Amino acid sequence: MLRFFKSKKHKVENKEIEIDRNNIPKHIAIIMDGNGRWAKEKKLPRTMGHRAGVESIRRIIKESHVLGIKYLTLYAFSTENWKRPKDEVGALMKLLVEYLRNEIGELNANGVVIKILGDTTKLADDCQKEIKDAVELTKDNKGVVVNIAFNYGGRDEILRAVKAVSKDVEKGIINLDDITDDIFESYLYTKGTPDPDLIIRPSGEKRISNFLLWQCAYSEFWYSNVNWPDFKEKDLHRAIYDYQNRDRRFGGV
Ligand code: FPP
């Protein structure tokens, strides 16, 4: 089984930057944008852009493993993406199924934990099965946790949590006055996951697009003009380097 390259000698540097290995963000979340524009530039169908986007996913998961990033969250399909043409929606579902089917062995061998954020009950049966098997197979691994946000929306996640916590109040499982940030978080898809330190959006757009609305309260944002299929390890390095040179105050001074 192919193992990801991991060596103490590996230097995370290029001409301009050197990353501080002692200050790697624990959780990086990425809005994988620009697949359609990438395809259009090459006069290819949009779905080819998404397919090329899967190559970037491969690269970035490997690099996260090398760098020691603990959590990587990838926004792959939003609750609003159902509005896209039927064939594009179908192609995105198919890509997820193919990806998990073909790569779960290698991911598992490298200790990756696969988790899904979002309502999977609305997905096709084969998609649900592949997800269930991948999550089950990798759940006790100790490597990078890869959260794939699929049929995910930040507002939907918060609403679901509000309803679930209200039910528990009704049932007397919890008192209204005892609901804290920590308790509320335990009702979110991201239960047990630290908030993202860094949110990356390629393709030049500067929006949050319903992504991790609760969790992004103190995240650092990093944008790049590169479309997601062209996003390389060096872009991740730049994002991390920039993050390492910021002053995070979390509301303090
Ligand atoms: C946004 O670009 C991208 C998406 C809505 C889909 C992202 C999905 C993948 C990269 C592949 C999913 C597969 C797996 C294995 C999780 P866009 O289509 O909005 O691009 P545009 O703004 O240039 O049109």
Side-chain angles (χ1 to χ4, degrees):
M1 197 62 70
L2 185 68
R3 296 231 167 228
F4 299 160
F5 171 66
K6 190 169 193 182
S7 146
K8 286 213 172 79
K9 282 188 210 130
H10 179 78
K11 275 196 183 151
V12 183
E13 60 187 332
N14 61 26
K15 281 186 190 97
E16 311 112 65
I17 60 165
E18 188 166 352
I19 288 177
D20 175 1
R21 295 294 294 251
N22 298 313
N23 182 22
I24 296 291
K26 206 172 186 183
H27 182 178
I28 295 185
I30 308 181
I31 302 175
M32 304 184 289
D33 200 8
N35 297 347
R37 276 161 285 168
W38 181 92
K40 196 172 175 196
E41 272 167 21
K42 297 186 160 42
K43 301 198 171 21
L44 293 168
R46 291 178 56 81
T47 51
M48 291 303 284
H50 298 313
R51 193 166 280 282
V54 177
E55 286 301 319
S56 295
I57 292 179
R58 287 194 185 97
R59 279 196 293 272
I60 298 308
I61 293 180
K62 280 190 186 170
E63 195 58 15
S64 299
H65 175 87
V66 170
L67 293 172
I69 293 160
K70 296 276 182 283
Y71 299 86
L72 178 68
T73 300
L74 302 169
Y75 202 8
F77 192 89
S78 77
T79 44
E80 288 70 40
N81 285 153
W82 294 102
K83 293 181 208 151
R84 294 190 174 210
K86 227 175 155 189
D87 63 335
E88 186 172 340
V89 170
L92 285 165
M93 304 281 157
K94 200 168 156 227
L95 276 180
L96 177 65
V97 171
E98 264 180 37
Y99 176 74
L100 292 176
R101 203 171 276 163
N102 297 336
E103 316 229 354
I104 198 62
E106 187 182 338
L107 293 166
N108 188 43
N110 284 284
V112 172
V113 179
I114 294 287
K115 289 188 180 178
I116 304 287
L117 312 180
D119 179 9
T120 54
T121 64
K122 300 287 179 300
L123 309 179
D125 289 350
D126 62 337
C127 208
Q128 289 194 41
K129 184 183 179 310
E130 223 55 58
I131 287 172
K132 200 167 158 263
D133 291 352
V135 170
E136 179 60 29
L137 179 71
T138 61
K139 70 179 193 309
D140 296 324
N141 287 345
K142 299 284 175 273
V144 192
V145 176
V146 176
N147 294 314
I148 303 176
F150 210 94
N151 195 18
Y152 172 88
R155 287 185 173 180
D156 179 62
E157 179 184 38
I158 292 170
L159 267 181
R160 281 166 190 273
V162 168
K163 287 178 188 169
V165 85
S166 305
K167 265 196 190 142
D168 282 355
V169 169
E170 240 172 45
K171 286 189 203 151
I173 294 171
I174 182 171
N175 292 321
L176 193 58
D177 292 336
D178 293 340
I179 302 171
T180 57
D181 277 19
D182 286 347
I183 300 266
F184 188 71
E185 268 165 19
S186 71
Y187 287 83
L188 298 172
Y189 290 125
T190 50
K191 176 183 177 175
T193 310
D195 288 343
D197 301 295
L198 176 62
I199 297 183
I200 295 176
R201 183 164 193 159
S203 90
E205 308 289 358
K206 295 186 174 68
R207 289 188 290 277
I208 192 70
S209 298
N210 205 10
F211 190 42
L212 303 176
L213 296 183
W214 170 277
Q215 299 86 340
C216 75
Y218 286 101
S219 303
E220 297 294 324
F221 287 81
W222 191 81
Y223 305 102
S224 121
N225 288 325
V226 167
N227 289 323
W228 175 246
D230 288 329
F231 196 90
K232 301 270 164 45
E233 292 85 345
K234 67 176 184 343
D235 299 299
L236 182 67
H237 299 167
R238 284 194 186 118
I240 294 173
Y241 179 77
D242 199 39
Y243 164 88
Q244 290 181 336
N245 287 284
R246 292 188 193 180
D247 181 18
R248 296 186 82 192
R249 293 192 296 277
F250 299 94
V253 287

